Structures are given as structure tokens and as C-alpha cells.
Amino acid sequence: MRDDADGPTGRHGLVAWSRRTVGAAWFRHGVTATIAVNAVVIGLDTSPTLASRAGGAFELASQVFLAVFVVEALIKMAAVWPRLRDYFADGWNIFDFTVIVVSLLPSTGELATLARLARLFRVLRLVSALPELRLIVATLIRSVPGMFNVLALMSIVFYVYGVAGYHLFHEIDPTHWRTLGISLLSLFRIVTLEDWTDIMYAALEHHWWAWSYFVSFVVVGTFVVINLFIAVVINSLDEARQDRLRELKAPPTGDELLRELARTRTALARLEERLQQRP
């Protein structure tokens, strides 16, 4: 049996095993389950009663989870060895690696609070572990440019209605319209539809036509602008799905072909070794 660095049990063997492990369903599901259990433990640690009784167990569990995440990162790095830049080329891997590094901060002294917050960031790894959640996050990021345009339109609408509301109602209802800033806050309350009729009825006591101001703002600010946000997100979601389908249908790259060739060579070497061991 060969045991050199290039043999089936050496470096190439470790790389091949890492690639098989990363691609295995049990590995992905195991990481997801570990993140979920870690999230539950973090939530239980917020209970003063449980923390006083089992604080040491929570701390030990946190270290175990961190060790699992470190091993996971090392396996993923070994799977792309020696091209580590392939690991860091994936934004989700960078996110996971950053969470792990921050989690290594000491949990005592001045960094204790930061270390506890870093543990909480591990829960966010559920996003990177679940493909559908990654798609949603990619959609939100893709939607940012379009949302800026909608926000610009919404800002103009708020400004116009805010100035108009100040001049129309600041004398009769100073609580909600005494300054432009307070007027904008009142409009934000209206656009969320949270007890907005109270503000309208206060104005209706003095101006019978005040309903037209409030109803028009609700129609424009809530139904039109909010639906524009939804339209931007849905359009970005469709584009993200199309990109994902194109990636799945795309031909293998040169690096992927080299990795597949390496896996084939490893399999042939193992087969040759087994044939040599036969009597």
C-alpha cells in the first residue's frame, strides 16, 4: 500500500475524501442540523434559570459547535486544495469563515459581549446552509438598485404630502403636524395603516374635505409604492432563478474538469491497489 503524499492514502486521498464528503447529502444535512441545534442552545442560554443551572453545559456545547464549524471549514478547504481561492471565491464561504473567525474571540474580559454576539451570528449560517434561503438573499441584494428608485419616488411623495399636511393641519392638530419632521413621522404611521384613521378624524373635525388628503396618500403611499417594492423583488427573484438554472446547465469549467480527473485517477489507483492485494 502506497502511503506517500500523492498516493491514495496521502494528500490526494484526503482531497478526494473531502470532495466526496462535501458533496454528500448527509454532510449538508448534518451541518444544517448542527446550526439549528446551536440556535436552540443560544436561545436557552438567555433564560436566567437555565443559565444559572447549566451555564457550564451551555459553554461546553458552544465550544463543541465551534469545533464542528471549524472542521467543516477545513473539509471544504481541503476539497478545493491546492486552489484555496476557489473556496474564498464563494461569498457564502467568506461569510461562514468570517463568522468562525469572529467566534474564536475570547469570551472573557472586554470582548465577552462581542464574543456572545459572535455566537449569535452562527444562527445566520442557516441562510448559507439552505439553498432556498441563499436564493432569497441573492434576490434581495439584486433588488437593491431597483429599490433605490422606488425609495426616491417614495421620498418625493412623502415630502410633498408632508409639506402639504403641515400647512393644512399644523394649527388644528399640532400633535401630528407641528413641524415637517413630525408630519413625516405621522405619514409613516399612516402608510403602515396603524390607527391612521385617528389622525384623519382629528382633521375631519375641522375640515370636511380632509378625507381626500388621507385617502389619496394611503392609495399612493401604501397600495402603489408598496406594490412597486413587491414588483421589484419578484422581478429580481425571477432573474436570480434564471441565473441559477443557467449555472446548473452551464458546461463544466477547466477547474471542475481537473477535479473530476483527479477523482478518476484516485479511483483507478484504489482499484489497482485492490487488484494487487488479491491472492
Side-chain angles (χ1 to χ4, degrees):
M1 178 182 299
R2 291 183 298 173
D3 197 24
D4 56 7
D6 296 329
T9 60
R11 182 179 60 193
H12 288 175
L14 177 61
V15 171
W17 176 85
S18 299
R19 289 170 180 168
R20 290 195 306 271
T21 301
V22 170
W26 66 265
F27 180 80
R28 297 192 300 271
H29 297 330
V31 171
T32 303
T34 302
I35 298 172
V37 175
N38 183 30
V40 173
V41 172
I42 290 175
L44 294 176
D45 194 21
T46 61
S47 171
T49 303
L50 293 177
S52 61
R53 295 181 179 179
F58 288 147
E59 183 66 26
L60 177 61
S62 176
Q63 297 302 321
V64 171
F65 290 133
L66 178 58
V68 172
F69 296 146
V70 171
V71 172
E72 175 209 0
L74 292 176
I75 292 176
K76 288 184 176 180
M77 291 180 184
V80 297
W81 184 266
R83 304 176 64 88
L84 283 179
R85 65 175 178 270
D86 291 347
Y87 174 84
F88 292 102
D90 189 340
W92 291 111
N93 287 338
I94 295 177
F95 172 76
D96 294 342
F97 184 81
T98 302
V99 171
I100 292 173
V101 171
V102 176
S103 298
L104 293 174
L105 293 174
S107 57
T108 58
E110 298 180 354
L111 298 178
T113 301
L114 182 59
R116 288 187 176 274
L117 292 177
R119 295 177 185 178
L120 182 60
F121 291 154
R122 299 179 199 170
V123 181
L124 295 176
R125 291 204 55 208
L126 280 173
V127 178
S128 63
L130 300 175
E132 292 302 323
L133 293 184
R134 291 202 302 266
L135 179 62
I136 293 175
V137 173
T139 298
L140 294 177
I141 296 175
R142 187 187 294 267
S143 303
V144 170
M147 285 185 177
F148 275 125
N149 297 326
V150 179
L151 284 174
L153 174 61
M154 195 170 186
S155 299
I156 295 173
V157 171
F158 263 71
Y159 185 77
V160 170
Y161 272 87
V163 173
Y166 168 78
H167 289 296
L168 293 173
F169 310 123
H170 77 278
E171 293 182 354
I172 62 176
D173 188 8
T175 301
H176 299 109
W177 307 99
R178 66 177 178 270
T179 64
L180 178 58
I182 297 299
S183 299
L184 293 176
L185 288 176
S186 299
L187 290 176
F188 181 79
R189 174 180 171 181
I190 294 172
V191 84
T192 61
L193 303 179
E194 180 65 28
D195 293 333
W196 68 277
T197 54
D198 295 343
I199 304 177
M200 182 182 67
Y201 289 143
L204 283 174
E205 292 178 358
H206 299 83
H207 303 298
W208 65 269
W209 45 262
W211 65 268
S212 60
Y213 172 90
F214 293 95
V215 171
S216 62
F217 179 73
V218 168
V219 171
V220 175
T222 302
F223 299 139
V224 175
V225 177
I226 298 302
N227 279 310
L228 285 176
F229 275 109
I230 296 174
V232 170
V233 173
I234 291 178
N235 182 62
S236 299
L237 178 61
D238 183 66
E239 292 178 356
R241 285 176 174 172
Q242 294 298 328
D243 291 344
R244 185 177 180 184
L245 289 176
R246 283 193 291 268
E247 290 177 0
L248 293 176
K249 295 180 181 179
T253 62
D255 292 339
E256 292 174 343
L257 291 175
L258 290 176
R259 287 196 292 268
E260 185 65 27
L261 179 60
R263 287 194 291 267
T264 303
R265 291 177 57 188
T266 301
L268 289 175
R270 290 181 176 178
L271 179 60
E272 179 183 0
E273 180 183 358
R274 293 180 62 184
L275 289 175
Q276 292 175 356
Q277 292 178 350
R278 293 184 62 182

